[in-house]
Amino acid sequence: MGDIYTEDYECLEIFAKATEGKRGSVSVTDRSGNRREYPAGEHQYRLLRIPVQKETAYDVALSECAVSICYLSETENILDRGVLFLEWKQGAWEKTKDLAQWYQTPGREQYHFAPYKNWLNDPNGLCWYQGYYHMYYQANPHAQEWSHMYWGHAASRDCVHWVHLPYVLEPQEEILEAADKKGGAFSGSAAVLDDRIRFYLTRHFGPPEDSEQETVQYQTMVESRDSIHFGEETLIIEKPNADFSYNFRDPKVVWHDGCWQMVIGTRVGEVPSVALYQSEDGKSWTYKGILLQEKTEGVYTFECPDLFFLAGKAVITGAWMFYSDEHRRFQPTYYYIGSFQNGEFALEKKGLYDFAGNFYAVQSFEHEGRRIAIGWISDFYNEHCPEENGAYGSMAIPRELYVKDGVLCQRPIAEIYRQKGKCYCDIKGQNVSLKHLNRNSYYAKLLFDGDTNFEILLGKSRDAEIRLVRRDGELLLTTQGVRSHFVTCVTRLEKLTKLEIFVDRRTVEIFANDGERAGSKLFYPEKGGVFQAKFDYEEHVNSIEICEMKGIWG
């Protein structure tokens, strides 16, 4: 038993699962003794949405069940305030009022978006709507591991400072009622209309081990007028014919050439493919054919495709599932630049989206002339270090995309620089050694007026380390003493004039020459930060600026 005072919230949301073999429940009793009881999920966690009165105390008791996440919702200005999380601790409910303190652990990012706790992967439904950026995302609210998929939700005024909002999509009822099925609300995108957001997503249903015979993926549509409450979900697209694998997912929509264009990642005749659909009204869709195929040996299927238009060019992006390249980078994402006309794509150039090993499922959207992309900081090498109430997964810094000389470039959005705090270092023409950077959340900018090889130590933990290396026209992120030590994160860059480095606890992001190259890498450091740079030609280093980065949760 434990008291919860609702403040000015009008809904209590609890994910509850019964103890095995028991009939678990959650009961809510007001001060007049009126008691309501809600059954917990038998096989899976069940999201209970319980109406409550404002400014009222309730006794909320758990009977033979576990709770993964609990919060108060439904209040005025929720897009600015967010939900109010509650934790069950030592027989009492405790409100998480200070999110900055909640996120203050050695492994949790401070200025990258991450969930309140547990699992996050692909960004979904990215958009700007009625004064807010919205980011939905793949989530497992119940553990620090992948499982049945929900859609989490966060909103922001500036695409940097986010507030947590209620979970909006759940796995299908037949999954929640079963102990031997897998699936849920997989990835999708958003189309913003005048008075609503229209979402497109994949529903997955099948056995724990996928098979062509039993696993099904299909596309649905659902709308929301306030970004939080969703209407009825409807089936809109199933795979066109038997040549398509069950891998048929992650619809991404864009308005172009007078109609809606939708791309879906798939595998057709054992060839990774991007399928194209078109619609005039966004509701009835027509299959137009295969827009792009990738015949590189070892790629299993495309997933998380994107289609957008920049500088008069069409850009398609897609993740290469199960593929390892010659540098042992696993599941890289590629971009394809070309022309798009009458539903056909003519390739001109392709390239690697991110040269390191932890950037995946990237999705983009347009707002006020900017094409903004957000990717998932993935962990395909199983380097996660669990923490109590920790999170597995975060989002990369939002990137502004542009095309230059046939290359998809990506620079950090301008808003992120507002997080710069006190300066640790502002020098030129010399090596630098900073061994105890407080909080290990910092930004470094280096400008060069000539080429030089160098090594920069960016993180250290016992026998492990991560370094950024410039060597004979290449830029590398190297690690040792970690599970991904065998991966070579490398890109060719003949001339380096500007280098930006974002270190945020476990995440390192590199941007070279205003985003001509970008790389993202995980590394779990010790508590303090480090920046130690040694240059072959110090005189070619025009400036080095290193400063603290402030957190986004305060």
Side-chain angles (χ1 to χ4, degrees):
M1 300 177 68
D3 283 349
I4 292 177
Y5 182 70
T6 61
E7 302 185 14
D8 56 355
Y9 291 88
E10 296 183 276
C11 185
L12 176 65
E13 302 195 30
I14 303 178
F15 287 99
K17 180 182 178 182
T19 304
E20 187 174 357
K22 305 293 184 179
R23 299 186 66 180
S25 65
V26 176
S27 64
V28 178
T29 307
D30 64 21
R31 285 294 178 262
S32 299
N34 299 308
R35 183 176 182 272
R36 291 170 285 164
E37 187 171 5
Y38 301 85
E42 180 181 358
H43 300 291
Q44 312 294 340
Y45 281 90
R46 174 73 63 178
L47 176 53
L48 307 176
R49 292 187 171 96
I50 303 171
V52 293
Q53 296 293 319
K54 294 181 181 180
E55 310 294 343
T56 304
Y58 292 89
D59 179 76
V60 179
L62 309 178
S63 175
E64 297 181 324
C65 69
V67 167
S68 57
I69 285 183
C70 175
Y71 52 83
L72 289 163
S73 64
E74 300 292 346
T75 186
E76 292 184 9
N77 303 320
I78 193 169
L79 294 177
D80 291 311
R81 296 180 57 194
V83 301
L84 178 55
F85 289 104
L86 299 138
E87 293 292 320
W88 180 251
K89 294 183 178 180
Q90 299 178 343
W93 292 102
E94 181 178 303
K95 293 175 180 176
T96 307
K97 289 281 192 177
D98 188 347
L99 280 177
Q101 183 61 36
W102 177 265
Y103 278 85
Q104 191 61 255
T105 72
R108 300 204 68 176
E109 293 94 339
Q110 300 300 293
Y111 57 92
H112 289 72
F113 176 81
Y116 175 71
K117 63 179 176 181
N118 296 330
W119 175 272
L120 165 152
N121 56 295
D122 307 357
N124 295 159
L126 301 180
C127 63
W128 167 272
Y129 180 66
Q130 295 184 349
Y132 297 85
Y133 293 97
H134 291 272
M135 176 168 58
Y136 301 84
Y137 55 89
Q138 295 283 278
N140 172 20
H142 317 310
Q144 294 177 48
E145 62 184 12
W146 190 90
S147 185
H148 308 308
M149 284 290 98
Y150 298 72
W151 271 32
H153 182 201
S156 173
R157 290 281 193 179
D158 62 2
C159 212
V160 173
H161 296 84
W162 299 90
V163 299
H164 296 292
L165 295 169
Y167 290 83
V168 293
L169 291 173
E170 303 176 64
Q172 301 91 299
E173 190 65 27
E174 57 265 42
I175 292 174
L176 295 175
E177 291 292 339
D180 59 348
K181 300 298 180 184
K182 179 181 78 174
F186 276 26
S187 287
S189 58
V192 174
L193 308 179
D194 289 339
D195 61 348
R196 73 195 69 186
I197 311 174
R198 183 175 290 157
F199 298 92
Y200 301 91
L201 67 140
T202 298
R203 283 289 175 176
H204 178 111
F205 180 78
E209 296 295 327
D210 290 324
S211 74
E212 292 290 348
Q213 293 73 35
E214 298 181 79
T215 301
V216 178
Q217 292 183 345
Y218 54 90
Q219 319 312 315
T220 66
M221 182 185 76
V222 63
E223 294 183 345
S224 174
R225 293 185 180 273
D226 64 2
S227 78
I228 293 173
H229 303 93
F230 282 34
E232 182 180 354
E233 195 173 334
T234 58
L235 171 66
I236 56 168
I237 296 174
E238 297 177 285
K239 68 178 187 179
N241 55 59
D243 291 336
F244 283 70
S245 164
Y246 76 84
N247 294 283
F248 183 67
R249 59 182 173 271
D250 310 334
K252 179 64 166 62
V253 296
V254 63
W255 178 266
H256 185 72
D257 277 352
C259 69
W260 291 103
Q261 316 279 346
M262 176 192 288
V263 288
I264 296 175
T266 187
R267 176 179 168 89
V268 181
E270 300 187 355
V271 179
S273 305
V274 174
L276 176 67
Y277 283 76
Q278 292 180 342
S279 172
E280 293 184 359
D281 62 4
K283 298 178 181 179
S284 300
W285 293 86
T286 301
Y287 172 58
K288 304 302 289 187
I290 299 302
L291 191 61
L292 175 71
Q293 290 193 312
E294 179 55 66
K295 297 185 178 180
T296 300
E297 185 177 355
V299 184
Y300 174 63
T301 189
F302 270 120
E303 61 179 359
C304 304
D306 200 353
L307 169 65
F308 53 90
F309 300 87
L310 279 174
K313 296 295 183 181
V315 183
I316 301 173
T317 69
W320 290 13
M321 194 173 182
F322 295 160
Y323 176 78
S324 289
D325 68 12
E326 68 273 22
H327 300 295
R328 302 182 74 178
R329 291 177 291 207
F330 187 62
Q331 298 198 159
T333 296
Y334 273 79
Y335 66 82
Y336 303 78
I337 298 176
S339 61
F340 179 88
Q341 190 172 8
N342 299 323
E344 294 187 356
F345 177 75
L347 176 65
E348 297 173 8
K349 187 173 183 179
K350 75 176 183 180
L352 196 60
Y353 212 125
D354 186 287
F355 73 85
N358 297 105
F359 186 81
Y360 199 73
V362 59
Q363 184 178 112
S364 72
F365 67 104
E366 191 274 337
H367 176 57
E368 293 186 343
R370 292 194 299 177
R371 172 63 53 174
I372 299 172
I374 299 178
W376 168 43
I377 300 294
S378 59
D379 180 18
F380 296 130
Y381 310 107
N382 297 315
E383 296 179 297
H384 177 62
C385 296
E387 296 178 341
E388 183 180 3
N389 292 321
Y392 196 152
S394 60
M395 298 301 180
I397 293 171
R399 304 175 179 184
E400 181 181 351
L401 305 182
Y402 65 101
V403 174
K404 180 182 178 182
D405 299 328
V407 174
L408 181 64
C409 300
Q410 46 201 311
R411 55 190 168 217
I413 60 170
E415 292 88 338
I416 194 65
Y417 297 100
R418 299 172 188 166
Q419 298 308 109
K420 290 171 59 177
K422 66 180 180 182
C423 183
Y424 295 130
C425 175
D426 189 0
I427 60 173
K428 64 180 294 183
Q430 60 183 285
N431 297 328
V432 60
S433 180
L434 301 175
K435 296 182 179 180
H436 303 289
L437 292 173
N438 185 35
R439 297 175 64 250
N440 195 31
S441 294
Y442 66 84
Y443 164 78
K445 181 174 73 173
L446 294 82
L447 300 179
F448 302 90
D449 55 17
D451 202 14
T452 177
N453 290 343
F454 59 74
E455 287 196 8
I456 305 175
L457 179 66
L458 298 175
K460 189 172 179 60
S461 181
R462 296 183 182 178
D463 297 326
E465 63 180 38
I466 181 169
R467 293 178 181 269
L468 180 63
V469 178
R470 173 72 167 165
R471 182 188 304 137
D472 302 329
E474 292 184 333
L475 195 63
L476 305 96
L477 270 171
T478 67
T479 56
Q480 67 179 41
V482 298
R483 289 186 178 179
S484 61
H485 67 91
F486 58 85
V487 180
T488 303
C489 302
V490 59
T491 186
R492 188 76 189 171
L493 191 61
E494 295 297 339
K495 185 177 181 180
L496 178 62
T497 59
K498 180 180 180 181
L499 184 62
E500 293 181 279
I501 303 167
F502 293 85
V503 175
D504 193 8
R505 303 287 165 89
R506 67 176 203 125
T507 295
V508 175
E509 291 192 76
I510 307 297
F511 297 89
N513 296 349
D514 284 319
E516 187 179 342
R517 299 288 189 276
S520 307
K521 192 76 180 73
L522 283 180
F523 179 82
Y524 285 84
E526 293 176 344
K527 187 174 182 180
V530 61
F531 185 98
Q532 295 179 268
K534 185 176 182 180
F535 306 94
D536 284 2
Y537 298 99
E538 298 172 50
E539 63 271 21
H540 289 172
V541 184
N542 194 45
S543 70
I544 302 174
E545 173 196 4
I546 305 171
C547 61
E548 175 189 33
M549 288 292 281
K550 295 175 289 186
I552 63 174
W553 303 108

